[in-house]
Amino acid sequence: MAHGTPSSIDQMPEYLQLVRGGRPPSMELIEEMRHNYLAIGGRSPLTDITLAQAAALRNRLGPNVPVAVGMRNWKPFISVPMAPQFSTLSVQKYIDAATSTLPAGVELEAVQSFHAHPTLVEAFAERVRAAEPRPDELVIFTAHSLPVRVIEAGDHYADEVHTTARLVAERAGVTRYRQAFQSAGRTPEPWIGPEIEKVIDDESGNGCRKFLVVPIGFVCDHTEVLFDIDIQAARTAREFATSFRRTESLNTSPTFISLLEELARSRL
């Protein structure tokens, strides 16, 4: 199960209304998101990559275990939520959406979190090692932000993100890193931080000139990676005359697909 993305920018109003729980989006928000999608080629690869991940998992599990793909905010409407860290605002809503559509007599056994699974940690560590971090390069682990009120209500998402960052750093041999959040919603309430742009600002002020971003809150390329990191955060880095690059997303990494197989088989 994944978040979902529109097939074209013409479908942006319908998509944003689903994301907002039925509340119509403003024209300002629609145009902003259309601009973001156009900046990465007009559409997000999320659906294509999720389908490719499902195909790779299907090959691992064999013909006797059906594998399907569902989207929370797009078609097919809706179980392994494609988000490593659990949150009541994301993963739990995926599970609720899937549960609400179950036919009589069918049960759902959902994976809630795999943020500290050794195979996930290794999959991210492989991407870090492949990037060959330089001695003078600061690694920034990033994940999607959440409203502060959700964390204050007892959600453990931020703790799980910190744990993933620590474990990946240890596995990859990274001794100097920061953990940041990104992609905060367009709402007036406060969201958890520090934002990745603030980390770049603070660290460049401390003399850091090189950054390597590792998006540990996401398992494939989509707008939060291709626009929010590759375009928006990179622009901030350029403003401070610093170098900026990102590790490759997991996408169909064989190690990540092995993780999905392990998660599925553990519940068969």
Side-chain angles (χ1 to χ4, degrees), residues 191-203:
W191 289 59
I192 59 174
E195 296 180 347
I196 184 173
E197 290 83 2
K198 186 177 189 310
V199 171
I200 293 171
D201 185 350
D202 291 345
E203 293 295 338

Side-chain angles (χ1 to χ4, degrees), residues 34-255:
R34 281 176 171 164
H35 168 269
N36 294 356
Y37 272 62
L38 286 171
I40 62 170
R43 65 187 297 271
S44 166
L46 172 64
T47 300
D48 294 340
I49 295 174
T50 306
L51 289 169
Q53 290 169 328
L57 177 59
R58 192 177 296 114
N59 289 336
R60 294 281 192 119
L61 293 174
N64 296 324
V65 182
V67 176
V69 170
M71 301 292 170
R72 181 184 159 221
N73 292 308
W74 201 247
K75 305 152 190 176
F77 291 104
I78 353 208
S79 138
V80 179
M82 302 299 272
Q85 299 87 15
F86 177 84
S87 169
T88 54
L89 201 61
S90 58
V91 173
Q92 187 59 55
K93 289 188 179 295
Y94 292 6
I95 296 171
D96 292 345
T99 303
S100 68
T101 62
L102 291 176
V106 176
E107 296 181 1
L108 175 71
E109 187 171 349
V111 175
Q112 292 199 340
S113 175
F114 48 95
H115 72 284
H117 195 291
T119 309
L120 175 78
V121 173
E122 175 58 22
F124 279 127
E126 285 178 352
R127 295 309 201 207
V128 175
R129 289 193 292 266
E132 299 181 346
R134 298 152 191 156
D136 57 348
E137 195 169 38
L138 179 67
V139 171
I140 305 177
F141 293 107
T142 68
H144 205 295
S145 185
L146 285 185
V148 170
R149 62 175 169 80
V150 175
I151 303 302
E152 291 179 343
D155 194 299
H156 296 294
Y157 170 79
D159 292 335
E160 293 196 359
V161 171
H162 294 318
T163 298
T164 305
R166 175 178 57 80
L167 293 175
V168 173
E170 291 173 357
R171 190 63 173 263
V174 172
T175 58
R176 192 170 70 99
Y177 69 89
R178 289 284 306 271
Q179 203 266 296
F181 292 94
Q182 60 171 91
S183 312
R186 308 301 193 268
T187 63
E189 63 184 329
W191 289 59
I192 59 174
E195 296 180 347
I196 184 173
E197 290 83 2
K198 186 177 189 310
V199 171
I200 293 171
D201 185 350
D202 291 345
E203 293 295 338
S204 62
N206 292 331
C208 182
R209 312 313 301 162
K210 298 177 182 178
F211 299 99
L212 173 64
V213 175
V214 185
I216 56 169
F218 312 104
V219 299
C220 74
D221 289 325
H222 44 61
T223 53
E224 282 83 353
V225 173
L226 300 177
F227 182 82
D228 294 354
I229 295 177
D230 291 357
I231 295 178
Q232 200 162 259
R235 181 188 304 133
T236 299
R238 286 195 302 273
E239 290 172 355
F240 290 101
T242 59
S243 72
F244 180 94
R245 62 193 185 112
R246 169 179 66 82
T247 56
E248 183 182 354
S249 295
L250 296 183
N251 293 330
T252 54
S253 148
T255 304

